[in-house]
Amino acid sequence: MSSKRKITVAYGDGIGPEIMKATLNILEAAGAQLEYDVIEIGEQVYLKGISSGMEPKSFDSLRETKVFLKSPITTPQGGGFKSLNVTTRKSFGLFANVRPCRAFSPFVRTHFPKTDLVIIRENEEDLYAGIEHRQTQEVYQTLKLISEPGSEKIIRYAFEYAKKNGRKKVTCMTKDNIMKLGDGLFHKKFDEIAKEYPEIKNDHKIIDIGTALVADSPEIFDVIVTLNLYGDIISDVAAQVTGSVGLGGSANVGEEVAMFEAIHGSAPDISGMGIANPSGLLNGAIMMLVHIGMPEMAEKIANAWMRTLEDGIHTGDIYQEGLSTKKAGTQEFAQAVIERLGQKPIKMIPVEYDKEDTEPMVIKLKPQIKQKKELIGVDVFIDWDEDKRDFNVIGERLRKANANGLQLQLITNRGVKVFPEGMRETFCTDHWRCRFKTADQGVITHDTVLELLKQIQGLGFDFIKTEHLYTFDGVRGYSLAQGE
Ligand code: NAD
């Protein structure tokens, strides 16, 4: 049996094959004991009519090797094609997106030469669940789902990553001043888990000021952990300001499978010209080597690569007149890295990985304690577009609905209370949230909800959805309306 570690490799589209060839040449020259299961992904597969961009047998390859080194692909224009990255992420539960953003100044231009941060983004939940509905003529809804195990998993991953990589601080970013339940859960979990890592500093920033700080002073951050959408945006901001858009690698990590790639796309504008920078994919491959327990190999390649940058051998995208010594093509650049294997950078701080700790990170969740869930009311959403200024009309009519003591407590429009005692100035749409509870806030049954809906229908209203109001061990599981 071969002692080589098998990995799945895809050459991708555009510049993909050129940068993959360069990257694999470097891995081989460094002596990485790898063998490749090459699969086809991207444009050719999409054009065969496979909407995910990846054939079923390729999924089997990933299931076997559990490690995927992937070149960028071209997503065909037009509808019907699914993002290959999203498919892979969701199919294999790749819950963590890890994107290091380090400055390599002055060899790569940046205003922030001291930056060295890592963004760890939750990859499966949040607004990316893709659950959307048009509910009325005027209103569309996108569901934002945040789960407790999903939050716990990514936050534990961030702290374990910090520990394994000698990082000193983890910053959590949310918008929990507004989304007190969903983002609040993420922040609360962060505070709880941070206590288990006293050796690592921690803090929290609201995402808006957090993003501004990443754009303005990225060097103050070490590891950032955040929700899916915020992470998507902030990781591009960070890559841009550190100058790592063309150089950065990224990892998508799950409990079993992990995928490594460059952060840039297939660059069709320079495809086939032999001038693409292979550094992004190479940096993805370096992360892969650490992941599969080859930190020495990762360190050797990372330091040779940095030395190549220091020696001024640059591809066209980072070439600087007066500083670069040679404008290299893709293969020439790879050859320069190969010639420097065994050397370290002199002006920049060399990379050092923990060579003792070669085990993959295992994230264990705490067992959940079952809580008592009680139904104490219901929000009924109604499509109504008669007189949107006269809230009392809808309010007084709905007051007639009264199933087993359930009473109308209030009506809001886009979250603002308009009944009772609304302000005529409030702008309203045709989407009304009507909250029903009993006077004593007692427990109700599903039958009561069904009876209420029947009554509401009988009053001539079009109800479009319900959201149940629960308590968990007596703690309110829903937000209060503005003005409630
Ligand atoms: P891009 O990242 O491919 O290119 C943006 C610009 O950066 C171009 O001018 C390109 O020449 C340059 N560039 C990118 N990588 C480079 C490299 N390694 N060396 C030198 N220059 C480089 O983004 P785009 O043009 O918006 O997208 C092109 C295609 O890539 C699209 O089909 C898009 O869907 C796809 N894409 C794929 C991935 C992926 O597979 N992970 C990611 C992003 C975009």
Side-chain angles (χ1 to χ4, degrees):
M1 221 176 83
S2 161
S3 62
K4 289 184 170 177
R5 174 71 165 85
K6 196 175 190 180
I7 64 167
T8 301
V9 165
Y11 281 79
D13 301 317
I15 58 169
E18 300 160 51
I19 59 173
M20 182 59 85
K21 186 165 169 273
T23 298
L24 297 184
N25 284 349
I26 296 168
L27 296 187
E28 272 153 34
Q33 295 298 301
L34 299 172
E35 67 175 290
Y36 312 124
D37 189 12
V38 177
I39 61 166
E40 205 189 349
I41 56 165
E43 213 170 12
Q44 290 313 311
V45 182
Y46 282 119
L47 296 177
K48 277 186 206 165
I50 297 168
S51 66
S52 64
M54 189 153 121
E55 292 183 73
K57 64 173 191 269
S58 302
F59 284 93
D60 292 339
S61 170
L62 284 191
R63 240 169 244 129
E64 186 205 332
T65 69
K66 307 201 186 308
V67 176
F68 187 15
L69 182 62
K70 171 184 163 287
S71 260
I73 59 159
T74 303
T75 316
Q77 300 288 312
F81 301 109
K82 293 192 202 119
S83 156
L84 174 68
N85 273 7
V86 176
T87 306
T88 317
R89 232 180 258 163
K90 291 201 169 167
S91 312
F92 290 103
L94 307 184
F95 65 89
N97 179 261
V98 183
R99 198 187 271 194
C101 295
R102 182 178 166 185
F104 298 99
S105 181
F107 311 102
V108 179
R109 234 186 302 243
T110 170
H111 296 301
F112 308 104
K114 296 206 182 87
T115 307
D116 182 7
L117 67 91
V118 181
I119 296 184
I120 297 185
R121 159 188 169 198
E122 198 290 315
N123 228 357
E124 294 181 290
E125 305 193 339
D126 197 350
L127 289 156
Y128 291 67
I131 306 173
E132 298 194 280
H133 298 93
R134 182 176 181 179
Q135 297 181 329
T136 65
Q137 168 95 16
E138 294 177 347
V139 175
Y140 298 69
Q141 172 186 272
T142 307
L143 274 185
K144 169 161 169 157
L145 297 175
I146 311 291
S147 79
E148 194 162 336
S151 303
E152 184 179 345
K153 205 155 46 161
I154 191 73
I155 292 163
R156 285 195 183 281
Y157 184 89
F159 278 100
E160 284 296 318
Y161 179 95
K163 200 164 108 180
K164 192 177 169 94
N165 292 280
R167 298 271 171 173
K168 306 275 182 292
K169 187 172 87 176
V170 181
T171 302
C172 173
M173 292 197 192
T174 70
K175 187 80 182 169
D176 68 335
N177 53 331
I178 302 294
M179 283 159 277
K180 296 192 169 73
L181 280 190
D183 284 31
L185 165 70
F186 197 84
H187 187 174
K188 193 175 110 210
K189 280 274 142 210
F190 177 80
D191 288 345
E192 272 171 34
I193 294 166
K195 291 198 185 88
E196 298 174 29
Y197 298 85
E199 72 282 18
I200 297 168
K201 289 191 206 140
N202 71 84
D203 63 357
H204 173 268
K205 299 236 175 302
I206 299 291
I207 187 66
D208 36 15
I209 188 63
T211 310
L213 286 170
V214 170
D216 182 63
S217 17
E219 62 279 353
I220 66 171
F221 292 105
D222 195 346
V223 174
I224 296 174
V225 63
T226 189
L227 297 158
N228 205 341
L229 177 63
Y230 310 144
D232 196 356
I233 297 167
I234 206 170
S235 53
D236 270 17
V237 174
Q240 184 69 29
V241 300
T242 51
S244 65
V245 175
L247 306 182
S250 106
N252 288 278
V253 184
E255 273 163 46
E256 289 196 11
V257 174
M259 173 170 86
F260 301 85
E261 61 182 341
I263 62 177
H264 60 73
S266 59
D269 53 334
I270 56 164
S271 164
M273 294 163 73
I275 58 168
N277 189 345
S279 300
L281 186 60
L282 184 65
N283 278 315
I286 290 168
M287 294 171 82
M288 176 192 77
L289 290 172
V290 176
H291 177 84
I292 58 179
M294 299 185 183
E296 267 168 69
M297 190 59 59
E299 196 174 293
K300 184 172 166 188
I301 297 171
N303 286 327
W305 173 76
M306 285 170 70
R307 183 60 182 265
T308 309
L309 289 186
E310 270 191 7
D311 288 348
I313 299 164
H314 297 158
T315 44
D317 55 316
I318 56 167
Y319 185 84
Q320 296 178 64
E321 208 61 60
L323 187 136
S324 307
T325 55
K326 182 178 180 159
K327 191 183 272 185
T330 312
Q331 289 305 327
E332 258 178 313
F333 181 82
Q335 194 51 42
V337 176
I338 290 169
E339 282 161 15
R340 285 162 182 76
L341 287 166
Q343 297 182 35
K344 287 185 176 177
I346 305 163
K347 295 169 198 148
M348 294 187 281
I349 300 164
V351 168
E352 210 175 315
Y353 294 112
D354 182 352
K355 279 152 236 68
E356 304 299 312
D357 181 12
T358 55
E359 290 302 309
M361 289 191 332
V362 178
I363 307 299
K364 284 210 180 88
L365 300 189
K366 280 209 169 139
Q368 288 200 350
I369 300 160
K370 192 87 186 143
Q371 296 181 334
K372 189 172 181 203
K373 176 179 161 190
E374 288 178 310
L375 181 63
I376 60 154
V378 61
D379 280 349
V380 181
F381 288 75
I382 285 177
D383 178 352
W384 188 69
D385 66 354
E386 286 173 27
D387 184 356
K388 290 189 215 153
R389 293 259 162 214
D390 196 354
F391 326 126
N392 288 327
V393 175
I394 180 170
E396 292 306 335
R397 257 168 75 190
L398 273 175
R399 270 197 167 150
K400 295 193 184 106
N402 184 340
N404 293 338
L406 268 188
Q407 292 169 357
L408 179 67
Q409 303 280 314
L410 59 89
I411 301 178
T412 67
N413 197 294
R414 297 192 303 175
V416 180
K417 190 177 95 170
V418 294
F419 182 88
E421 292 153 17
M423 289 181 32
R424 282 196 69 81
E425 294 81 3
T426 305
F427 177 81
C428 288
T429 66
D430 55 5
H431 190 268
W432 308 79
R433 185 264 300 265
C434 311
R435 175 159 289 178
F436 289 85
K437 283 188 197 162
T438 58
D440 63 354
Q441 314 264 327
V443 175
I444 62 165
T445 65
H446 283 93
D447 282 338
T448 305
V449 175
L450 292 173
E451 172 55 29
L452 178 75
L453 292 178
K454 246 192 228 159
Q455 290 185 15
I456 290 174
Q457 186 191 25
L459 291 166
F461 286 108
D462 172 14
F463 62 83
I464 48 180
K465 74 158 189 168
T466 56
E467 290 287 355
H468 289 185
L469 309 180
Y470 291 111
T471 58
F472 293 82
D473 282 350
V475 177
R476 178 165 47 81
Y478 53 91
S479 62
L480 295 181
Q482 248 168 48
E484 187 171 355

